[in-house]
Amino acid sequence: MAMRGWPLIKLLPVKTDFHFVKFSKAFGILSAVLVIASIIGCFYPGLNMGIDFRGGASMEVSKPAGQTVALEELRGAVRELGLGDVGVQGIARRGTDVNDGSTAIVRFQIPEGRDQTAVVRQVEAAITGAVGQVTYSDVAVVGSKVSGELFTSGMLALGLAVVLMFAYIWFRFEPQFGFGAIAGLVHDVILVFGLIVLMRLEFSLNMVAAILTVIGYSMNDTVVVFDRLRENLRKYKQMPLREVIDLSINETLSRTIITGVTAIMVLAALAYFGGEALFGFSIALMAGIIIGTYSSVYVAAPIILLWGVKRGGPADDASPVKLGMASRP
């Protein structure tokens, strides 16, 4: 008996004929507005910096094996002290790879002007009163200088990732493809920053990792479209460029939808079951996947349309086909 395929896959059309380029101008204006709003939001009201970038302290809290640390009670006890952002996450017990619920790591801020040792002792007393007798270890304090260096390093990592992606596209495709891809990447990163500001998500090293992942996903999706576009430019040498772009996007659309929806389903489960520690990370990744798919269609491709490309035939190799230079048959 033959195995039946996933029934919902039949909901996706085998072939689509959407005219994406037709709406590129309107969506281009929308993207520009959102990018400007996101940039303004990064300065006012600004990013909600986490302990990694604002400075603070962390400690490991553990109970004997077999006993559970109540994370919500622990988190509530520290928050009542009014120390700003508080992060609580269950971790594997030291010396094992199993998270049995007996160990957690607590991160909290130390207000300016307060004695660091006194604040740590206050937190320990609050935790003991809320969850009972526990053991404290690996107490570490991150000063403002170190947290500033971490923020600078994180931003440099994002910038370097964009530059390396640009170099990759530059050598793999023509220059206009590279500029289109980089425009899409910058667009995606800025809009993810805007979402972080809008939702007041904590901006930490986890969020930097999420944005780096978004950069990789966005570039992968763009390369898939560009590969098909390059193939179709060689195959349909007389077809107007706008039609070749529409054709290429339509031919890769089902693959893009299936990949994106699958990733979003996994991230949605991670956001729901991963608790507060992974919620912001998951939301940023889900938004990045949606934005990255959108930018491949309405940011990267329109730049190629405006710039023009050289066709693959010997007769017209030196003749770039630009917007308005070729009429529809």
Side-chain angles (χ1 to χ4, degrees):
M1 181 177 178
M3 184 179 295
R4 294 184 178 182
W6 184 42
L8 294 180
I9 200 72
K10 298 178 181 179
L11 297 178
L12 292 177
V14 177
K15 184 179 180 181
T16 58
D17 188 27
F18 298 116
H19 300 288
F20 294 101
V21 174
K22 180 179 179 181
F23 304 101
S24 60
K25 185 175 180 180
F27 281 108
I29 295 174
L30 174 64
S31 293
V33 171
L34 292 177
V35 165
I36 293 172
S38 297
I39 293 174
I40 295 174
C42 288
F43 293 96
Y44 183 82
L47 293 168
N48 178 25
M49 296 292 187
I51 295 170
D52 295 329
F53 300 138
R54 189 180 292 177
S58 66
M59 63 173 63
E60 189 175 304
V61 178
S62 60
K63 283 191 171 186
Q67 298 185 26
T68 302
V69 176
L71 299 183
E72 288 303 323
E73 294 180 11
L74 193 156
R75 183 180 291 111
V78 180
R79 279 183 173 170
E80 288 180 359
L81 298 177
L83 299 177
D85 293 326
V86 176
V88 177
Q89 182 179 359
I91 60 174
R93 189 173 184 82
R94 184 171 299 184
T96 69
D97 295 328
V98 180
N99 184 357
D100 60 358
S102 65
T103 308
I105 187 168
V106 182
R107 297 184 179 89
F108 53 91
Q109 292 178 248
I110 297 180
E112 293 185 13
R114 297 277 298 274
D115 181 72
Q116 297 176 350
T117 303
V119 173
V120 171
R121 294 291 177 264
Q122 185 182 10
V123 170
E124 290 177 350
I127 293 175
T128 302
V131 300
Q133 193 63 37
V134 294
T135 301
Y136 301 98
S137 59
D138 290 344
V139 179
V141 178
V142 179
S144 57
K145 181 179 179 181
V146 174
S147 60
E149 292 175 352
L150 285 175
F151 180 77
T152 302
S153 298
M155 294 301 100
L156 287 176
L158 293 178
L160 181 60
V162 172
V163 171
L164 291 177
M165 291 296 182
F166 174 73
Y168 169 73
I169 293 293
W170 183 285
F171 285 106
R172 180 164 179 174
F173 300 97
E174 297 177 34
Q176 57 267 43
F177 284 86
F179 283 113
I182 290 304
L185 282 183
V186 173
H187 167 275
D188 298 345
V189 170
I190 292 176
L191 289 195
V192 172
F193 270 105
L195 178 75
I196 293 172
V197 172
L198 180 64
M199 297 187 65
R200 301 307 296 164
L201 299 175
E202 181 181 289
F203 187 72
S204 61
L205 288 175
N206 280 347
M207 205 61 75
V208 173
I211 296 175
L212 287 172
T213 306
V214 168
I215 290 175
Y217 183 92
S218 176
M219 179 56 67
N220 176 71
D221 195 53
T222 301
V223 166
V224 169
V225 176
F226 281 3
D227 266 332
R228 184 58 59 89
L229 175 58
R230 183 170 58 178
E231 293 173 5
N232 287 335
L233 284 172
R234 296 169 179 170
K235 186 176 180 181
Y236 305 103
K237 300 176 183 178
Q238 303 303 319
M239 182 182 291
L241 182 55
R242 60 172 58 243
E243 294 184 11
V244 179
I245 293 175
D246 276 340
L247 175 65
S248 302
I249 296 174
N250 278 290
E251 289 180 346
T252 58
L253 188 60
S254 60
R255 176 261 179 205
T256 299
I257 292 176
I258 292 173
T259 304
V261 170
T262 303
I264 289 175
M265 289 170 62
V266 174
L267 291 169
L270 186 64
Y272 183 79
F273 294 106
E276 183 180 356
L278 295 176
F279 179 78
F281 175 84
S282 305
I283 293 297
L285 273 180
M286 283 192 286
I289 289 174
I290 296 172
I291 296 170
T293 302
Y294 162 83
S295 69
S296 298
V297 177
Y298 285 115
V299 178
I303 288 180
I304 298 175
L305 181 65
L306 293 173
W307 189 320
V309 294
K310 295 180 180 180
R311 309 308 279 258
D316 55 358
D317 236 358
S319 302
V321 179
K322 296 187 178 181
L323 179 63
M325 292 181 64
S327 57
R328 291 180 177 271

